[in-house]
Amino acid sequence: MDDEQQDVLLRNYNFTLSADINGPLLAAVISIEMIAGLIANSFVLIITICHCSSGTWKKPSTLFLTNMLICNLFTVLLVMPLNIISLASRGWIFGVTVDQKLITCNLAGYIYWNSVLLISLSLMLLSIDRWIYIVQAMRYDSLVTPRRALLAIIITWSLAIVLNVTPFFGFGTYNFLESYAGCSPIWEGHVGYVVYMLIIFVSIVGTIVVTSCWTFCYLFMYIRRRKERSSIGPGRKRSIDQYVAARRKLIVLFGVLLFIHFISYLPGIITAGVVIFVSLPKEVYATSYILFLSITTLSPLAQSCFREDIRSKLCKKKEEPPGTVDSSPFTDN
């Protein structure tokens, strides 16, 4: 074995899982996430396909939702199985020689990081679409057309493909990580690349948080104004109770949505920022990885709550008495 191959093995921890990590347990957790993600995304996708008319398919919100489901399935079917096999084997077994393992690891790292960026961009598109639909309702049809929605999806896929090729040209590197037996960009010793990725993900997550909070505040004020108008005249107690219930529903929906984004992204962003200055335990990386993968199950369920057409297929809609608060502001078009 020459010096170059020894250097590759050293940088990739001999393609072996750390002794500090419980491989079978971590593999079991990811297996549960994979099965749950496959069921959740496939279920929502099948409902969308089977119950959407040709007109509904042309709606931008449907295109954005379908794009998110496909991005999640991309991760569930291409990333998680390799990780589970590596954890169960306690090492990277895809390749016989060092060079072959390095090639397959680089390819797997590129696929994984593409999936991370694709999921993030798909959620950003959904959040922006919801913001325009609620806050700019009168201009929505002119601003967000099916053609523009499809173009936005194509642009995000192209961006993910282009932004993640830099490690192949010396800016960053894909390595085997002994913390969870997967291949991914490494942060230690690559400050420039870490800053580059932090700018990308802080921008994406920041856009999601800002548009979600803006939409929430707009709807909150909308409900408040409607409640004040309904407080005059007969039947006002029932109307006020209905608006209070609507406000609670709004808080729960957006609260759950923001919570999912925070638990999925915040640990990874903090880890990437802190590792520039100090080394972190391997368990921290494994935990951040597990938390991010949970978004493949939680996001389709949360996003479906904003879709009236999907909710109506899951349960029969009760007949609402006259004067019931219109719930349309909570849902996408």
Side-chain angles (χ1 to χ4, degrees), residues 12 27 31 41 68 74 112 134 145 164 179 190 209 247 250 270 281 290 297 319:
N12 289 275
S31 297
N41 289 279
M68 183 206 68
F74 182 84
Y112 164 59
I134 298 295
T145 63
N164 286 322
S179 52
H190 296 271
V209 172
R247 186 171 60 186
L250 175 69
I270 293 175
I290 291 295
T297 301
E319 183 131 5

PDB file of all heavy atoms in Angstrom, residues 12 27 31 41 68 74 112 134 145 164 179 190 209 247 250 270 281 290 297 319:
ATOM      1  N   ASN A  12     -10.225   8.954   6.021  1.00  0.00           N
ATOM      2  CA  ASN A  12     -11.557   8.339   6.039  1.00  0.00           C
ATOM      3  C   ASN A  12     -11.720   7.335   7.177  1.00  0.00           C
ATOM      4  O   ASN A  12     -12.598   6.463   7.113  1.00  0.00           O
ATOM      5  CB  ASN A  12     -11.836   7.648   4.703  1.00  0.00           C
ATOM      6  CG  ASN A  12     -12.059   8.622   3.565  1.00  0.00           C
ATOM      7  OD1 ASN A  12     -13.162   9.101   3.364  1.00  0.00           O
ATOM      8  ND2 ASN A  12     -11.000   8.932   2.824  1.00  0.00           N
ATOM      9  N   ALA A  27     -28.518   1.890  13.304  1.00  0.00           N
ATOM     10  CA  ALA A  27     -29.119   1.310  12.096  1.00  0.00           C
ATOM     11  C   ALA A  27     -30.609   1.065  12.301  1.00  0.00           C
ATOM     12  O   ALA A  27     -31.419   1.280  11.382  1.00  0.00           O
ATOM     13  CB  ALA A  27     -28.409   0.009  11.732  1.00  0.00           C
ATOM     14  N   SER A  31     -33.572   2.765  10.248  1.00  0.00           N
ATOM     15  CA  SER A  31     -34.524   1.862   9.571  1.00  0.00           C
ATOM     16  C   SER A  31     -35.964   2.271   9.876  1.00  0.00           C
ATOM     17  O   SER A  31     -36.821   2.263   8.983  1.00  0.00           O
ATOM     18  CB  SER A  31     -34.289   0.411  10.019  1.00  0.00           C
ATOM     19  OG  SER A  31     -33.008  -0.031   9.655  1.00  0.00           O
ATOM     20  N   ASN A  41     -44.575   9.577   2.865  1.00  0.00           N
ATOM     21  CA  ASN A  41     -44.469  10.247   1.573  1.00  0.00           C
ATOM     22  C   ASN A  41     -45.251   9.531   0.484  1.00  0.00           C
ATOM     23  O   ASN A  41     -45.905  10.171  -0.343  1.00  0.00           O
ATOM     24  CB  ASN A  41     -42.999  10.375   1.168  1.00  0.00           C
ATOM     25  CG  ASN A  41     -42.247  11.378   1.996  1.00  0.00           C
ATOM     26  OD1 ASN A  41     -42.317  12.578   1.754  1.00  0.00           O
ATOM     27  ND2 ASN A  41     -41.509  10.908   3.001  1.00  0.00           N
ATOM     28  N   MET A  68     -41.691  18.186  -3.130  1.00  0.00           N
ATOM     29  CA  MET A  68     -41.169  17.896  -1.796  1.00  0.00           C
ATOM     30  C   MET A  68     -41.234  16.398  -1.496  1.00  0.00           C
ATOM     31  O   MET A  68     -40.286  15.815  -0.947  1.00  0.00           O
ATOM     32  CB  MET A  68     -41.962  18.661  -0.739  1.00  0.00           C
ATOM     33  CG  MET A  68     -41.452  18.468   0.674  1.00  0.00           C
ATOM     34  SD  MET A  68     -42.727  18.698   1.940  1.00  0.00           S
ATOM     35  CE  MET A  68     -43.793  17.289   1.622  1.00  0.00           C
ATOM     36  N   PHE A  74     -36.408  10.474  -2.504  1.00  0.00           N
ATOM     37  CA  PHE A  74     -35.036  10.399  -3.005  1.00  0.00           C
ATOM     38  C   PHE A  74     -34.078  10.064  -1.861  1.00  0.00           C
ATOM     39  O   PHE A  74     -33.196   9.208  -1.983  1.00  0.00           O
ATOM     40  CB  PHE A  74     -34.674  11.749  -3.647  1.00  0.00           C
ATOM     41  CG  PHE A  74     -33.302  11.815  -4.249  1.00  0.00           C
ATOM     42  CD1 PHE A  74     -33.068  11.352  -5.534  1.00  0.00           C
ATOM     43  CD2 PHE A  74     -32.238  12.360  -3.535  1.00  0.00           C
ATOM     44  CE1 PHE A  74     -31.797  11.415  -6.093  1.00  0.00           C
ATOM     45  CE2 PHE A  74     -30.975  12.432  -4.090  1.00  0.00           C
ATOM     46  CZ  PHE A  74     -30.747  11.958  -5.380  1.00  0.00           C
ATOM     47  N   TYR A 112     -26.060  12.206  -1.088  1.00  0.00           N
ATOM     48  CA  TYR A 112     -26.633  12.587   0.207  1.00  0.00           C
ATOM     49  C   TYR A 112     -26.762  14.100   0.328  1.00  0.00           C
ATOM     50  O   TYR A 112     -27.823  14.609   0.707  1.00  0.00           O
ATOM     51  CB  TYR A 112     -25.770  12.037   1.347  1.00  0.00           C
ATOM     52  CG  TYR A 112     -26.052  12.683   2.680  1.00  0.00           C
ATOM     53  CD1 TYR A 112     -27.329  12.622   3.246  1.00  0.00           C
ATOM     54  CD2 TYR A 112     -25.055  13.380   3.375  1.00  0.00           C
ATOM     55  CE1 TYR A 112     -27.606  13.230   4.469  1.00  0.00           C
ATOM     56  CE2 TYR A 112     -25.322  13.986   4.586  1.00  0.00           C
ATOM     57  CZ  TYR A 112     -26.588  13.915   5.126  1.00  0.00           C
ATOM     58  OH  TYR A 112     -26.863  14.521   6.320  1.00  0.00           O
ATOM     59  N   ILE A 134     -51.383  33.700   0.742  1.00  0.00           N
ATOM     60  CA  ILE A 134     -52.100  34.318   1.855  1.00  0.00           C
ATOM     61  C   ILE A 134     -51.945  35.840   1.857  1.00  0.00           C
ATOM     62  O   ILE A 134     -52.930  36.581   1.913  1.00  0.00           O
ATOM     63  CB  ILE A 134     -51.612  33.744   3.200  1.00  0.00           C
ATOM     64  CG1 ILE A 134     -51.881  32.235   3.276  1.00  0.00           C
ATOM     65  CG2 ILE A 134     -52.287  34.459   4.358  1.00  0.00           C
ATOM     66  CD1 ILE A 134     -53.319  31.835   3.273  1.00  0.00           C
ATOM     67  N   THR A 145     -47.750  31.089 -11.500  1.00  0.00           N
ATOM     68  CA  THR A 145     -48.420  30.293 -12.530  1.00  0.00           C
ATOM     69  C   THR A 145     -47.810  28.894 -12.548  1.00  0.00           C
ATOM     70  O   THR A 145     -46.701  28.689 -12.045  1.00  0.00           O
ATOM     71  CB  THR A 145     -48.249  30.948 -13.904  1.00  0.00           C
ATOM     72  OG1 THR A 145     -46.844  30.968 -14.241  1.00  0.00           O
ATOM     73  CG2 THR A 145     -48.792  32.375 -13.901  1.00  0.00           C
ATOM     74  N   ASN A 164     -23.214  21.553  -5.148  1.00  0.00           N
ATOM     75  CA  ASN A 164     -22.576  20.456  -4.428  1.00  0.00           C
ATOM     76  C   ASN A 164     -21.407  19.821  -5.167  1.00  0.00           C
ATOM     77  O   ASN A 164     -20.856  18.817  -4.699  1.00  0.00           O
ATOM     78  CB  ASN A 164     -23.616  19.376  -4.100  1.00  0.00           C
ATOM     79  CG  ASN A 164     -24.545  19.786  -2.987  1.00  0.00           C
ATOM     80  OD1 ASN A 164     -24.123  20.416  -2.024  1.00  0.00           O
ATOM     81  ND2 ASN A 164     -25.816  19.451  -3.103  1.00  0.00           N
ATOM     82  N   SER A 179     -18.727   8.735  12.626  1.00  0.00           N
ATOM     83  CA  SER A 179     -19.773   8.992  13.625  1.00  0.00           C
ATOM     84  C   SER A 179     -21.089   8.315  13.271  1.00  0.00           C
ATOM     85  O   SER A 179     -21.859   7.953  14.162  1.00  0.00           O
ATOM     86  CB  SER A 179     -19.989  10.492  13.788  1.00  0.00           C
ATOM     87  OG  SER A 179     -20.217  11.097  12.531  1.00  0.00           O
ATOM     88  N   HIS A 190     -11.871  22.770   7.006  1.00  0.00           N
ATOM     89  CA  HIS A 190     -12.412  23.349   5.772  1.00  0.00           C
ATOM     90  C   HIS A 190     -13.302  24.542   6.131  1.00  0.00           C
ATOM     91  O   HIS A 190     -14.502  24.530   5.877  1.00  0.00           O
ATOM     92  CB  HIS A 190     -13.213  22.302   4.990  1.00  0.00           C
ATOM     93  CG  HIS A 190     -12.384  21.153   4.511  1.00  0.00           C
ATOM     94  ND1 HIS A 190     -11.736  21.149   3.298  1.00  0.00           N
ATOM     95  CD2 HIS A 190     -12.071  19.970   5.107  1.00  0.00           C
ATOM     96  CE1 HIS A 190     -11.076  20.010   3.141  1.00  0.00           C
ATOM     97  NE2 HIS A 190     -11.270  19.271   4.226  1.00  0.00           N
ATOM     98  N   VAL A 209     -38.408  30.517   7.746  1.00  0.00           N
ATOM     99  CA  VAL A 209     -38.866  31.056   9.031  1.00  0.00           C
ATOM    100  C   VAL A 209     -39.545  32.414   8.838  1.00  0.00           C
ATOM    101  O   VAL A 209     -40.630  32.674   9.388  1.00  0.00           O
ATOM    102  CB  VAL A 209     -37.691  31.181  10.016  1.00  0.00           C
ATOM    103  CG1 VAL A 209     -38.119  31.926  11.277  1.00  0.00           C
ATOM    104  CG2 VAL A 209     -37.157  29.800  10.378  1.00  0.00           C
ATOM    105  N   ARG A 247     -58.185  30.541  15.834  1.00  0.00           N
ATOM    106  CA  ARG A 247     -56.887  31.075  16.234  1.00  0.00           C
ATOM    107  C   ARG A 247     -56.014  29.982  16.845  1.00  0.00           C
ATOM    108  O   ARG A 247     -54.810  29.914  16.578  1.00  0.00           O
ATOM    109  CB  ARG A 247     -57.087  32.221  17.229  1.00  0.00           C
ATOM    110  CG  ARG A 247     -55.798  32.942  17.605  1.00  0.00           C
ATOM    111  CD  ARG A 247     -56.079  34.190  18.406  1.00  0.00           C
ATOM    112  NE  ARG A 247     -56.792  33.883  19.646  1.00  0.00           N
ATOM    113  CZ  ARG A 247     -57.262  34.801  20.474  1.00  0.00           C
ATOM    114  NH1 ARG A 247     -57.113  36.091  20.178  1.00  0.00           N
ATOM    115  NH2 ARG A 247     -57.890  34.457  21.577  1.00  0.00           N
ATOM    116  N   LEU A 250     -54.662  27.857  14.098  1.00  0.00           N
ATOM    117  CA  LEU A 250     -53.582  28.556  13.415  1.00  0.00           C
ATOM    118  C   LEU A 250     -52.272  28.425  14.187  1.00  0.00           C
ATOM    119  O   LEU A 250     -51.216  28.123  13.610  1.00  0.00           O
ATOM    120  CB  LEU A 250     -53.947  30.033  13.257  1.00  0.00           C
ATOM    121  CG  LEU A 250     -52.873  30.956  12.671  1.00  0.00           C
ATOM    122  CD1 LEU A 250     -52.642  30.636  11.207  1.00  0.00           C
ATOM    123  CD2 LEU A 250     -53.285  32.417  12.839  1.00  0.00           C
ATOM    124  N   ILE A 270     -25.867  24.574  14.047  1.00  0.00           N
ATOM    125  CA  ILE A 270     -25.043  24.892  15.222  1.00  0.00           C
ATOM    126  C   ILE A 270     -23.754  24.073  15.204  1.00  0.00           C
ATOM    127  O   ILE A 270     -22.659  24.589  15.468  1.00  0.00           O
ATOM    128  CB  ILE A 270     -25.833  24.643  16.519  1.00  0.00           C
ATOM    129  CG1 ILE A 270     -26.980  25.643  16.645  1.00  0.00           C
ATOM    130  CG2 ILE A 270     -24.915  24.738  17.729  1.00  0.00           C
ATOM    131  CD1 ILE A 270     -27.879  25.402  17.836  1.00  0.00           C
ATOM    132  N   PRO A 281     -17.867  15.818  20.057  1.00  0.00           N
ATOM    133  CA  PRO A 281     -17.979  14.354  20.190  1.00  0.00           C
ATOM    134  C   PRO A 281     -18.703  13.751  18.986  1.00  0.00           C
ATOM    135  O   PRO A 281     -19.543  14.398  18.357  1.00  0.00           O
ATOM    136  CB  PRO A 281     -18.800  14.174  21.477  1.00  0.00           C
ATOM    137  CG  PRO A 281     -18.653  15.461  22.213  1.00  0.00           C
ATOM    138  CD  PRO A 281     -18.508  16.530  21.175  1.00  0.00           C
ATOM    139  N   ILE A 290     -29.483  12.105  12.638  1.00  0.00           N
ATOM    140  CA  ILE A 290     -30.764  11.446  12.907  1.00  0.00           C
ATOM    141  C   ILE A 290     -31.900  12.463  12.918  1.00  0.00           C
ATOM    142  O   ILE A 290     -32.985  12.226  12.359  1.00  0.00           O
ATOM    143  CB  ILE A 290     -30.717  10.691  14.252  1.00  0.00           C
ATOM    144  CG1 ILE A 290     -29.791   9.487  14.150  1.00  0.00           C
ATOM    145  CG2 ILE A 290     -32.116  10.247  14.666  1.00  0.00           C
ATOM    146  CD1 ILE A 290     -30.246   8.422  13.185  1.00  0.00           C
ATOM    147  N   THR A 297     -40.118  12.277   7.341  1.00  0.00           N
ATOM    148  CA  THR A 297     -41.412  11.754   7.818  1.00  0.00           C
ATOM    149  C   THR A 297     -42.329  12.874   8.280  1.00  0.00           C
ATOM    150  O   THR A 297     -43.526  12.879   7.979  1.00  0.00           O
ATOM    151  CB  THR A 297     -41.185  10.767   8.979  1.00  0.00           C
ATOM    152  OG1 THR A 297     -40.370   9.691   8.549  1.00  0.00           O
ATOM    153  CG2 THR A 297     -42.529  10.231   9.479  1.00  0.00           C
ATOM    154  N   GLU A 319     -70.823  18.598   8.231  1.00  0.00           N
ATOM    155  CA  GLU A 319     -71.572  19.758   7.753  1.00  0.00           C
ATOM    156  C   GLU A 319     -71.489  20.866   8.788  1.00  0.00           C
ATOM    157  O   GLU A 319     -71.751  20.672   9.961  1.00  0.00           O
ATOM    158  CB  GLU A 319     -73.013  19.348   7.530  1.00  0.00           C
ATOM    159  CG  GLU A 319     -73.805  20.457   6.974  1.00  0.00           C
ATOM    160  CD  GLU A 319     -74.596  20.012   5.768  1.00  0.00           C
ATOM    161  OE1 GLU A 319     -74.620  18.856   5.394  1.00  0.00           O
ATOM    162  OE2 GLU A 319     -75.189  20.880   5.215  1.00  0.00           O
TER     163      GLU A 319
END
